[in-house]
């Protein structure tokens, strides 16, 4: 079930076709829940939109597996920090689902400073026949109440309610870049540039600082934390990546403050390829454990690496995402694209990986066959069940007719956020303000 051997088909696209996109509509995170039946997106305007997968319908076979809007709510509002004279934007940095325990769904969403726990629940009945108030909601005069009646539940149109259950605030001095729910389903971590905090889902007024890399003298600061994630099975283990291209694995059993790591993953640098940009492009923008927990994947600017947790000296697999950009680093530095933070994700069986690139391209790598494919999220190929054609980028010399030249890539169209359904070959790809959903031909 590798990603590149499959034929991927267009399934849906959500979002407006405006030429000039409002900043608030740009999607900033995409996340499937544990079953894959719900798909959440967050945007720069602080909104969360949840899509629900349609059940199979014999009369409409084409709608199978379609995701339709289930709930939309404003998660965060813009704030102002009067002490620091700073605006705190409402942009949703990350969404993480909690495993479902009952009929309701819970998710964590965060902006730069505040994490919120949301409950998404359905209501299709309402109570009628109150004693103390009329049907229109006005309180009745107690002297007029002569008989008691039992309220009854009457069916009503389905309503999906999103209500904030907890607000975890005031624990981060710097911008939150990661949240990760622990496998104990009771705690989660949140990471900013210099610290990682451990929270209990029930307790909002205190968190434990488990990593602190802030130097006594800020002029000595050499690296920042870029991402952090809990191990999917061992509740005491987590990793965090840094802007220096390293990953530290920590064990919370060894000490309360995990400033000393248990494992340190770093690939030795090839001195021959060293350049002015080496440090910037080696910064890790995302780290993700495989579902099995044996491997982890890191994404830096030009490549995706897979590490075996038992081998710290070098990755077991390295995949070049867009090596043709190496000659363009100078102009990418000038237009700030070199600081883009691409995310990466595993498929449900850990056999394939996906990550984004420029020009609305995204890349898939099959771990067993070592084959890879470049696909494009575009409305040109957005006919239902249309098979996506692999795209090729040509770096020099003569260009074949179906190739695109490096110089004509659009660096404003970038795919930073992608998600893979945990059980099926369905992928969600965020391209600016549009959400594309693709599935394999079999699906």
């Amino acid at each position: 079930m590798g990603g590149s051997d499959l034929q991927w088909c267009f399934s849906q696209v959500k979002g407006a076709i405006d030429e000039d996109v409002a900043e608030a509509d740009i999607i900033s995170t995409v996340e499937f829940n544990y079953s894959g039946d719900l798909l959440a997106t967050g945007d720069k305007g602080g909104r969360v939109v949840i899509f629900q997968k349609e059940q199979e319908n014999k009369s409409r076979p084409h709608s199978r597996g379609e995701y339709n809007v289930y709930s939309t709510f404003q998660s965060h509002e813009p704030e102002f920090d009067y002490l620091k004279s700073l605006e705190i934007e409402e942009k949703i940095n990350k969404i993480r689902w909690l495993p479902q325990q009952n009929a309701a769904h819970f998710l964590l969403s965060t902006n730069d400073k505040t994490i919120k726990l949301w409950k998404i629940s359905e209501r299709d009945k309402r109570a009628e026949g109150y004693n103390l108030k009329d049907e229109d909601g006005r309180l009745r005069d107690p002297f007029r109440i002569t008989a008691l009646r039992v309220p009854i539940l009457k069916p009503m149109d389905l309503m999906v309610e999103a209500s904030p259950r907890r607000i975890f605030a005031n624990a981060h001095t710097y911008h939150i870049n990661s949240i990760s729910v622990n496998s104990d389903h009771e705690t989660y971590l949140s990471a900013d540039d210099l610290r990682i905090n451990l929270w209990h889902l029930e307790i909002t007024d205190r968190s434990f600082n488990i990593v602190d890399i802030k130097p006594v003298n800020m002029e000595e600061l050499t690296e920042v934390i870029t991402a952090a994630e809990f191990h999917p099975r061992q509740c005491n283990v987590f990793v965090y990546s840094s802007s220096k291209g390293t990953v530290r694995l920590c064990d919370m059993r060894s000490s309360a403050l995990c400033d000393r790591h248990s494992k340190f993953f770093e690939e030795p640098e090839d001195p021959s390829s060293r350049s002015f940009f080496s440090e910037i492009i080696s910064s890790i923008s995302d780290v993700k454990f495989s579902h099995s927990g044996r491997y982890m994947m890191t994404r830096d600017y030009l490549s995706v690496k897979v590490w075996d947790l038992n081998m710290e000296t070098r990755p077991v697999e390295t995949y070049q995402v867009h090596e043709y950009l190496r000659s363009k680093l100078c102009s990418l530095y000038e237009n700030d694209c070199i600081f883009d933070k691409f995310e990466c994700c595993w498929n449900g069986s850990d056999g394939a990986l996906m990550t984004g690139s420029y020009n609305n391209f995204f890349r898939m790598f099959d771990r067993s066959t070592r084959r890879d494919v470049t696909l494009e999220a575009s409305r040109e190929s957005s006919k239902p069940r249309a098979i996506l054609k692999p795209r090729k980028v040509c770096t020099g010399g003569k260009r074949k007719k179906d190739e695109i030249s490096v110089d004509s890539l659009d660096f404003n169209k970038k795919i930073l956020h992608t998600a893979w359904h945990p059980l099926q070959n369905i992928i969600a790809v965020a391209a600016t303000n549009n959400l594309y959903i693709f599935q394999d031909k079999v699906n």
Side-chain angles (χ1 to χ4, degrees), residues 354-417:
M354 173 170 60
T355 190
S357 179
Y358 293 103
N359 209 64
N360 278 358
F361 288 171
F362 58 98
R363 303 268 285 136
M364 290 185 171
F365 304 96
D366 189 303
R367 294 182 60 205
S368 56
T369 62
R370 289 302 174 106
R371 286 216 286 257
D372 63 276
V373 65
T374 303
L375 300 171
E376 182 183 10
S378 83
R379 285 187 182 264
E380 271 67 81
S381 57
S382 61
K383 292 186 185 66
R385 326 291 297 154
I387 291 177
L388 300 188
K389 285 194 194 71
R391 303 302 305 259
K392 288 237 172 0
V393 176
C394 102
T395 47
K398 285 189 71 176
R399 183 165 69 88
K400 297 192 187 124
K401 76 170 171 51
D402 56 346
E403 289 185 334
I404 180 168
S405 137
V406 173
D407 298 317
S408 54
L409 293 174
D410 186 342
F411 291 109
N412 292 319
K413 292 181 172 172
K414 49 190 97 169
I415 289 181
L416 304 173
H417 316 286

Side-chain angles (χ1 to χ4, degrees), residues 179-357:
I179 44 177
S180 176
V181 180
N182 199 345
S183 58
D184 64 11
H185 304 168
E186 285 184 4
T187 55
Y188 74 92
L189 65 76
S190 59
D192 66 25
D193 296 338
L194 298 178
R195 296 194 178 106
I196 301 176
N197 292 332
L198 178 70
W199 299 85
H200 193 288
L201 283 160
E202 301 288 328
I203 300 165
T204 56
D205 58 356
R206 66 175 184 272
S207 61
F208 293 99
N209 180 219
I210 50 174
V211 171
D212 186 349
I213 64 165
K214 185 179 177 182
V216 180
N217 177 3
M218 279 297 265
E219 286 173 9
E220 292 166 8
L221 183 67
T222 56
E223 63 179 335
V224 293
I225 297 167
T226 54
E229 190 178 57
F230 266 122
H231 190 282
R233 302 199 172 161
Q234 298 166 1
C235 60
N236 50 292
V237 171
F238 67 94
V239 291
Y240 67 93
S241 59
S242 90
S243 56
K244 276 195 162 172
T246 62
V247 178
R248 291 170 173 85
L249 181 138
C250 303
D251 188 336
M252 293 192 291
R253 292 175 303 189
S254 57
S255 67
L257 190 62
C258 302
D259 281 355
R260 287 215 283 285
H261 47 266
S262 318
K263 293 189 176 185
F264 182 73
F265 300 86
E266 181 178 30
E267 184 170 33
E269 191 188 21
D270 176 10
S272 64
S273 65
R274 179 151 184 82
S275 75
F276 170 74
F277 304 109
S278 296
E279 256 182 47
I280 303 173
I281 63 171
S282 66
S283 173
I284 292 174
S285 54
D286 197 16
V287 58
K288 291 264 170 52
F289 277 109
S290 63
H291 296 82
S292 67
R294 165 139 189 214
Y295 299 97
M296 69 177 173
M297 161 169 54
T298 59
R299 169 75 210 255
D300 56 45
Y301 190 65
L302 293 178
S303 65
V304 171
K305 294 175 179 146
V306 175
W307 302 77
D308 187 320
L309 290 194
N310 301 323
M311 187 164 91
E312 300 165 59
T313 48
R314 62 176 193 277
V316 285
E317 297 155 34
T318 300
Y319 302 97
Q320 300 304 334
V321 178
H322 36 218
E323 186 61 23
Y324 47 78
L325 293 182
R326 199 176 280 277
S327 60
K328 292 251 172 292
L329 291 176
C330 201
S331 52
L332 289 163
Y333 179 73
E334 283 164 7
N335 66 12
D336 277 354
C337 285
I338 202 166
F339 302 107
D340 285 334
K341 293 179 168 45
F342 291 96
E343 294 171 8
C344 51
C345 62
W346 298 85
N347 74 341
S349 65
D350 297 338
L353 337 164
M354 173 170 60
T355 190
S357 179

Side-chain angles (χ1 to χ4, degrees), residues 8-155:
W8 289 91
C9 298
F10 173 84
S11 176
Q12 290 166 275
V13 58
K14 308 279 186 187
I17 321 178
D18 302 334
E19 276 309 303
D20 48 332
V21 178
E23 182 81 3
D25 295 336
I26 295 174
I27 298 173
S28 52
T29 181
V30 185
E31 192 75 16
F32 280 102
N33 74 341
Y34 281 75
S35 67
D37 291 338
L38 297 179
L39 171 63
T41 65
D43 64 24
K44 289 192 172 181
R47 291 178 300 261
V48 172
V49 181
I50 299 173
F51 300 93
Q52 184 181 42
K53 193 171 183 217
E54 290 295 312
Q55 298 305 314
E56 272 191 57
N57 188 338
K58 294 282 187 288
S59 61
R60 291 177 57 218
H62 291 299
S63 72
R64 175 167 170 234
E66 263 192 18
Y67 282 83
N68 291 320
V69 175
Y70 178 63
S71 173
T72 304
F73 58 94
Q74 187 73 30
S75 172
H76 287 69
E77 302 279 357
E79 292 172 58
F80 193 78
D81 184 336
Y82 292 98
L83 278 175
K84 300 194 180 105
S85 293
L86 275 181
E87 280 189 48
I88 302 165
E89 56 181 9
E90 63 274 39
K91 174 189 161 207
I92 309 289
N93 292 345
K94 284 284 185 291
I95 290 173
R96 288 289 178 263
W97 290 91
L98 272 59
Q100 191 175 359
Q101 311 281 1
N102 51 30
H105 296 274
F106 288 88
L107 63 82
L108 289 166
S109 66
T110 183
N111 67 349
D112 284 342
K113 296 287 182 205
T114 306
I115 305 154
K116 295 184 180 182
L117 174 69
W118 290 89
K119 177 185 182 182
I120 298 43
S121 52
E122 295 183 356
R123 239 194 19 210
D124 60 356
K125 293 185 176 63
R126 66 162 188 264
E128 277 188 8
Y130 288 103
N131 289 296
L132 300 177
K133 55 187 180 189
D134 290 325
E135 298 313 328
D136 57 5
R138 282 185 308 201
L139 283 173
R140 293 170 64 191
D141 178 3
F143 296 106
R144 283 196 6 252
I145 301 171
T146 54
L148 289 178
R149 50 189 175 168
V150 179
I152 51 171
L153 289 174
K154 288 249 179 98

